[in-house]
């Protein structure tokens, strides 16, 4: 109970508010489509409410965990193998031998009874905890190493493990998910004790490589790539209205929803674009529905709450003197920020649509449960640190 008194309200309150907004907006965005397909208007409301309650439970459980459990390397290895690598490998096989199982061109979910498990979401938090632990344990050795070769020998096992996970996600194919995992890895490696020269070389090489790949694809447009769902999304970003009847349809209707909303919106439940124009408006495009119904002010409230959580976690990372805590904080902050940027940038047409959901708001169990667990972990580490400092006085 003493630990609960040290919970960070700057994270807990925005988190609770986002959960509530998410439940309301999932219902508002989904009830028309649910009824039009012969289902109950409340079906997504009920599921999202269950996810929210389970999310609170996950948050509490991970808040109360002993830090040594989070830092158990054997347990993390089992999680990576059983809940991340094996399911991701299975999804690739399912997509190859049962192409009809793909949704929007990708195999990303494993059905478990009435629910779907998305290994990518588990991969995010497992990757953060794994890298934070390994890089912290190797801190003293990395500080002593100077050459690129000796540094690489120290970190090659964790980096190769991470690359395996990223490539498995990429082969689903899920470029948004792979981008988030890659960014988390880069930030954690850059924030560790690895010398700056190695980091600069690594980051520059990656930027040059990916820039060259994108330039090649756009200029040459290989036939094998040009036919893919993901490439069509990329072209839709460049020419949304030209492709309005095909790949640009979702993006154009997102623009209409944002335009209709104006400053204060047309009122909760009154969106036009959710009535058959925007497919799955309660998932990827839920912010567009918020914009239409609650206006720019509604968007600013949601994004402001997300920004508050991210900035608070980053501040915690800057203030702490514990390397492990700092890396976990930065990893969770990057996860939240990357998902938000990819979601908002996609519906605004600034980047290709990636299918990444808006944290705490979009419909979905795997994402909400993992994000809730992440909130529990960061509040846990901060409360533990405060408690330990007080005990030492």
């Amino acid at each position: 109970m003493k630990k609960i008194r040290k919970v960070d309200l700057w994270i807990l309150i925005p988190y609770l508010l986002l959960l509530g907004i998410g439940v309301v907006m999932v219902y508002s965005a989904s009830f028309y489509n649910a009824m039009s397909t012969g289902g109950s208007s409340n079906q997504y409301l009920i599921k999202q409410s269950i996810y929210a309650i389970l999310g609170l439970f996950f948050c509490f459980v991970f808040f109360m965990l002993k830090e040594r459990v989070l830092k158990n390397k054997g347990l993390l290895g089992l999680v990576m193998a059983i809940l991340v690598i094996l399911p991701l490998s299975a999804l690739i096989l399912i997509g190859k031998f049962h192409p009809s199982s793909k949704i929007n061109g990708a195999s990303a979910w494993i059905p478990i009874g009435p629910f779907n498990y998305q290994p990518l979401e588990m991969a995010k938090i497992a990757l953060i905890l794994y890298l934070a632990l390994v890089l912290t344990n190797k801190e003293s050795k990395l500080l002593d190493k100077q050459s690129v070769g000796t540094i690489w020998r120290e970190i090659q096992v964790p980096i190769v493990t991470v690359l395996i996970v990223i490539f498995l996600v990429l082969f689903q194919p899920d470029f948004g998910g792979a981008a988030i995992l890659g960014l988390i890895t880069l930030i954690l490696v850059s924030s560790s004790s690895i010398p700056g020269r190695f980091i600069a070389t690594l980051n520059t090489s990656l930027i040059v490589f990916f820039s060259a790949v994108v330039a090649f694809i756009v200029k040459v447009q290989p036939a094998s790539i040009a036919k893919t769902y993901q490439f069509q999304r990329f072209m839709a970003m460049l020419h949304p209205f030209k492709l309005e009847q095909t790949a640009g349809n979702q993006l154009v209707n997102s623009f209409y929803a944002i335009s209709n909303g104006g400053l204060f919106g047309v009122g909760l439940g009154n969106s036009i674009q959710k009535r058959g124009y925007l497919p799955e408006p309660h998932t990827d495009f839920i912010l567009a529905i918020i914009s239409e119904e609650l206006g720019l002010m509604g968007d600013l409230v949601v994004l402001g709450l997300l920004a508050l959580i991210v900035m608070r976690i980053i501040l915690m990372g800057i203030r702490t003197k514990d390397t492990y805590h700092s890396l976990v904080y930065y990893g969770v902050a990057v996860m939240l920020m990357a998902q938000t940027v990819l979601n908002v940038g996609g519906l605004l047409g600034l980047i290709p649509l990636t299918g990444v959901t808006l944290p705490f708001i979009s419909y979905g169990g795997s994402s909400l449960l993992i994000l809730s667990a992440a909130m529990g972990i960061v509040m846990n580490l901060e409360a533990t640190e405060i408690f330990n400092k007080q005990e030492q006085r």
Side-chain angles (χ1 to χ4, degrees), residues 347-360:
L347 64 89
L348 291 177
L350 301 176
I351 56 177
L353 293 170
T354 57
V356 173
T357 55
L358 187 65
F360 305 112

Side-chain angles (χ1 to χ4, degrees), residues 182-380:
L183 188 58
I184 289 172
T185 303
L186 281 178
I187 295 299
L188 291 190
V189 170
S190 300
S191 303
S192 70
S193 54
I194 296 175
R197 183 178 55 181
F198 181 87
I199 300 299
T201 302
L202 176 64
N203 290 349
T204 302
S205 301
L206 289 174
I207 290 171
V208 170
F209 173 74
F210 284 112
S211 298
V213 170
V214 171
F216 172 78
I217 292 174
V218 172
K219 187 172 183 63
V220 178
Q221 295 189 18
S224 59
I225 296 177
K227 295 179 181 179
T228 63
Y229 185 83
Q230 288 72 25
F231 182 78
Q232 292 304 312
R233 282 184 164 184
F234 183 81
M235 296 307 295
M237 175 200 69
L238 299 177
H239 311 289
F241 289 95
K242 183 179 178 180
L243 301 174
E244 183 176 359
Q245 301 303 316
T246 54
N249 180 263
Q250 289 179 304
L251 191 53
V252 169
N253 281 299
S254 173
F255 293 160
Y256 290 154
I258 296 169
S259 176
N260 291 343
L263 190 59
F264 297 105
V266 297
L268 186 64
N270 295 327
S271 165
I272 298 299
Q273 295 306 308
K274 70 184 180 187
R275 300 173 183 269
Y277 297 100
L278 268 175
E280 305 293 329
H282 52 296
T283 55
D284 306 3
F285 289 91
I286 196 165
L287 191 65
I289 302 302
I290 293 174
S291 183
E292 186 175 11
E293 297 189 348
L294 303 179
L296 177 62
M297 300 308 295
D299 288 342
L300 291 178
V301 168
V302 170
L303 296 178
L305 290 171
L306 285 168
L308 180 59
I309 293 177
V310 170
M311 289 188 292
R312 179 63 179 177
I313 296 174
I314 292 174
L315 182 61
M316 288 160 53
I318 294 171
R319 286 178 173 176
T320 185
K321 296 180 180 179
D322 188 300
T323 302
Y324 174 76
H325 291 187
S326 178
L327 292 177
V328 173
Y329 294 152
Y330 290 149
V332 173
V334 169
M335 177 175 67
L336 281 170
M337 186 166 58
Q339 284 193 213
T340 303
V341 169
L342 287 174
N343 180 272
V344 176
L347 64 89
L348 291 177
L350 301 176
I351 56 177
L353 293 170
T354 57
V356 173
T357 55
L358 187 65
F360 305 112
I361 303 296
S362 295
Y363 172 78
S366 296
S367 176
L368 188 54
L369 296 182
I370 294 301
L371 288 170
S372 296
M375 295 301 97
I377 289 170
V378 297
M379 290 190 287
N380 178 355

